[in-house]
Structures are given as C-alpha cells and as structure tokens.
Amino acid sequence: MSQDSDPQGQTIQWGMRLNYPANQEGLVIPVSTWNGFVERVEGTKQEFRPWSIAYSVLFGIGITAGLSIAPLMIADAGIWIVATYAGTSATTILVGAALICMERQLAKHQDSHISQLANEMVQIRDDSIGGATDS
C-alpha cells in the first residue's frame, strides 16, 4: 500500500488507486470483495426453469390424449372425437417442445450475458490493479 499526505498533514493509505475524472466519485472496494462479486455473478446461472411445469403438463396432456385414441377407436366413438383427441395430442406435444426450445435459447442467452458481465468485472479489476501498480 502506498501512503500520501493530505493538505492537513494526515496520512492517507491507499489500497488501490482509482483514476476518476474530477467530477465523478468512486468507491474503493477490496480486491477480495470484488472477486467475491465476480464469483456470485458467475454463480447466477439459471437453476430454476420457469417453463418446466408448463411443458410437463402439456406433455402429460398430449401423451394421455394420444393413448386414449386406440380405446376410442375400439369403442367405435365418432370420427370427430378421435380427430379431436389426435389434434389435442399433437398440438400439446408440439407446444411443449416449443417451450423446451424457447427455454434453452433463453438460458443460453442469459448465460452469455452473465459471462460477458463477469469478464467485464474481471477486466475492471485487472485495469484497477494495474493502475495501482503503475503509479
């Protein structure tokens, strides 16, 4: 750590020197705390999948409707009933698959943003530490 004296003669210790323009203020954060922030940001990968309940229900409806088609055909139900069950089965399975694809794309997008933010935080730390050792 370097030491400076202010105009009143008091000693000021600097852990890290941050170069801000005169009209901006900054906070001095210990490197270990900043590293903790970086780890927490990197740890925010999406664990909870909000659409999992929806596509599970849709797959359940689709599979149940699909399995009901054969007994309906054996029981000589009307063709419109069998067609309704077949359409319901196909539609709910397709919507469930679309939700899975959407959720994966959103997770990939979020992961890339989190990685980019963590990289920027590491760059800020490295620039700040480099600036402190350069002076």
Side-chain angles (χ1 to χ4, degrees):
M1 273 198 263
S2 65
Q3 293 183 348
D4 294 328
S5 295
D6 68 357
Q8 298 170 347
Q10 296 176 339
T11 301
I12 302 171
Q13 292 186 348
W14 298 96
M16 178 177 9
R17 185 175 301 266
L18 301 175
N19 298 322
Y20 286 101
N23 62 350
Q24 292 185 1
E25 294 182 17
L27 297 174
V28 176
I29 301 172
V31 174
S32 60
T33 303
W34 187 263
N35 290 340
F37 291 152
V38 172
E39 288 176 13
R40 290 181 110 181
V41 166
E42 289 173 339
T44 59
K45 305 289 186 198
Q46 186 178 11
E47 296 294 327
F48 174 69
R49 299 182 325 206
W51 297 103
S52 62
I53 295 171
Y55 63 72
S56 297
V57 169
L58 289 170
F59 283 137
I61 292 170
I63 291 170
T64 302
L67 293 175
S68 299
I69 293 172
L72 288 172
M73 291 176 74
I74 292 172
D76 249 356
I79 191 71
W80 68 272
I81 294 175
V82 174
T84 302
Y85 273 77
T88 301
S89 177
T91 302
T92 54
I93 288 174
L94 287 174
V95 171
L99 284 177
I100 287 177
C101 292
M102 182 183 70
E103 184 178 64
R104 287 185 179 168
Q105 288 297 325
L106 288 174
K108 187 188 307 183
H109 188 68
Q110 181 185 19
D111 288 347
S112 72
H113 280 290
I114 288 171
S115 297
Q116 182 180 8
L117 177 61
N119 289 339
E120 289 175 6
M121 290 177 74
V122 168
Q123 185 65 38
I124 290 169
R125 181 200 61 209
D126 293 344
D127 289 347
S128 295
I129 292 173
T133 58
D134 291 343
S135 57

